[in-house]
Amino acid sequence: MVECSIDWNNLSLAEWQDRFGRIRRANLLQSYDYARAICPLNRQKARWGLIKIKGVEAGLVQILEAGVLKNLIHGVILDCGPLWFDGYGTPAHSKAFFTEFSRRFPRRFGRRRRIIPAAGDSPENRALFVDAGYERQNFPGYQTIWIDLTQDEEELRSALKAQWRNKLNKGPKAGLKTGWNNSPEVFSSLLRNYSSDRAKKGYAGPSLPLLRALAQSFGDKVMIGHATLDNRLVAAILILCHGTSATYQIGWSSDEGRNVAAHNALLWQAVLELKKNGFRDFDLGGINGESAKHVKKFKQGMGGQELTLVGCYR
């Protein structure tokens, strides 16, 4: 059995961020800024772990907790972790980590665990978590699409599906203009239109209080793209940057914006802007082939790498 230990809350914020920034595809839910936004809303506390394999630093993990009566009633959440440094993250390392995690937070009366491992779905991985003493919940694993921004612009453009790529010509022909603006006015307009569109169409999405908390927590790591026709806002997107990765969080488009493929233009400009600023990976923010087939097809049009996680465990 591989030796694994977890040192909790021993790193300074600067030390955590430095290590976080070394990890490819370090996702939004494991970022410090996400924890700082979500914890006050859900009355949770975050805990940050430095994973060691045979005494050597091997990865990071962030968990959220809530408890009463000295944690007699206790909840612990591990979403999309752990994150591994280069050279680590083998099945043996994962099994050692989750065995140690379960030793520290065993399943018991009064404790609710939600664990979504950052591991791809496969029979081998499912068996690994069962062998480590976890019980899989009966719903599909989280799915998303990642775009590798280390490719050159020609490669990124060639990866676009033909229909998606062709729509990039519609906006300029119609006079569509795109740009980046993090002003309170643009942010408020995006939230207002997103909220109205979400209520009208009934799709799932983050709440307005969470979006406001995220914007405050991420600060200058927020990117708001906007598209206008004749100075009228017709589409906007919100992107959150974390480490060397970024995540597409929400977007909105009016009927007029959809007619000129404004969302295509904004996401393509996001790819170029993120690449220019040194980001290495872009997470398109989740896909769902059941309740959001059209959104899934749209994101697939960008030609990224689809990833399905192994599922949710307790």
Side-chain angles (χ1 to χ4, degrees):
M1 181 68 181
V2 174
E3 176 193 343
C4 177
S5 61
I6 308 170
D7 294 344
W8 295 102
N9 293 355
N10 284 345
L11 294 177
S12 68
L13 176 56
E15 289 170 333
W16 170 274
Q17 298 285 46
D18 174 68
R19 287 161 175 79
F20 190 86
R22 301 178 200 169
I23 300 171
R24 288 290 302 268
R25 298 188 176 180
N27 62 77
L28 174 69
L29 300 185
Q30 285 288 298
S31 70
Y32 172 84
D33 293 308
Y34 177 82
R36 187 170 62 171
I38 196 76
C39 284
L41 294 177
N42 292 345
R43 298 181 181 180
Q44 296 167 326
K45 293 183 179 180
R47 193 186 298 206
W48 298 272
L50 175 64
I51 305 164
K52 293 183 178 179
I53 298 292
K54 297 181 180 179
V56 179
E57 293 187 8
L60 301 174
V61 63
Q62 174 176 273
I63 65 172
L64 307 179
E65 295 180 274
V68 295
L69 302 176
K70 296 183 179 181
N71 281 349
L72 180 64
I73 307 299
H74 182 237
V76 59
I77 296 172
L78 197 177
D79 280 343
C80 297
L83 306 176
W84 296 102
F85 300 146
D86 287 345
Y88 294 93
T90 67
H93 296 154
S94 292
K95 186 172 182 178
F97 168 81
F98 282 102
T99 298
E100 172 61 19
F101 185 85
S102 195
R103 186 194 68 79
R104 178 62 185 84
F105 302 101
R107 191 164 51 185
R108 62 163 172 80
F109 179 78
R111 171 174 286 142
R112 182 177 180 182
R113 304 191 305 184
R114 186 182 80 195
I115 295 128
I116 301 177
D121 193 13
S122 69
E124 294 77 13
N125 278 340
R126 291 194 184 197
L128 183 154
F129 294 110
V130 171
D131 289 346
Y134 293 83
E135 180 183 339
R136 192 175 191 273
Q137 303 301 285
N138 190 28
F139 47 84
Y142 174 77
Q143 294 181 307
T144 192
I145 298 174
W146 284 92
I147 296 176
D148 180 358
L149 300 175
T150 65
Q151 302 173 91
D152 62 36
E153 183 177 335
E154 183 178 345
E155 289 175 310
L156 288 164
R157 193 175 187 93
S158 295
L160 302 174
K161 305 298 184 188
Q163 186 178 22
W164 205 101
R165 183 171 57 247
N166 292 337
K167 287 185 177 181
L168 291 176
N169 298 320
K170 295 185 71 173
K173 289 180 180 179
L176 185 77
K177 295 181 179 180
T178 61
W180 301 96
N181 188 336
N182 285 11
S183 71
E185 292 77 17
V186 173
F187 180 59
S188 295
S189 181
L190 169 57
L191 290 193
R192 183 172 60 253
N193 285 299
Y194 159 79
S195 179
S196 175
D197 191 57
R198 182 184 172 209
K200 179 181 178 181
K201 297 177 180 176
Y203 56 81
S207 67
L208 295 190
L210 175 57
L211 290 169
R212 293 189 182 100
L214 288 169
Q216 182 176 4
S217 180
F218 278 79
D220 60 4
K221 289 174 278 189
V222 171
M223 294 173 56
I224 301 176
H226 61 95
T228 59
L229 281 173
D230 298 326
N231 294 319
R232 300 186 312 278
L233 185 69
V234 296
I237 60 175
L238 174 68
I239 293 170
L240 302 174
C241 302
H242 38 94
T244 60
S245 301
T247 297
Y248 170 55
Q249 187 66 18
I250 62 164
W252 158 82
S253 183
S254 68
D255 290 340
E256 192 176 15
R258 280 187 286 275
N259 288 338
V260 295
H263 238 69
N264 297 64
L266 286 172
L267 281 173
W268 177 243
Q269 289 304 313
V271 166
L272 300 182
E273 186 73 8
L274 289 166
K275 179 176 175 60
K276 182 180 75 174
N277 285 296
F279 290 92
R280 304 178 72 186
D281 296 284
F282 185 25
D283 183 352
L284 295 184
I287 53 176
N288 186 323
E290 297 298 323
S291 61
K293 292 181 181 179
H294 296 300
V295 174
K296 179 178 180 178
K297 184 177 180 181
F298 173 78
K299 292 181 179 181
Q300 286 175 323
M302 297 190 72
Q305 179 186 5
E306 292 189 36
L307 173 66
T308 300
L309 296 186
V310 69
C312 181
Y313 293 78
R314 65 181 181 184

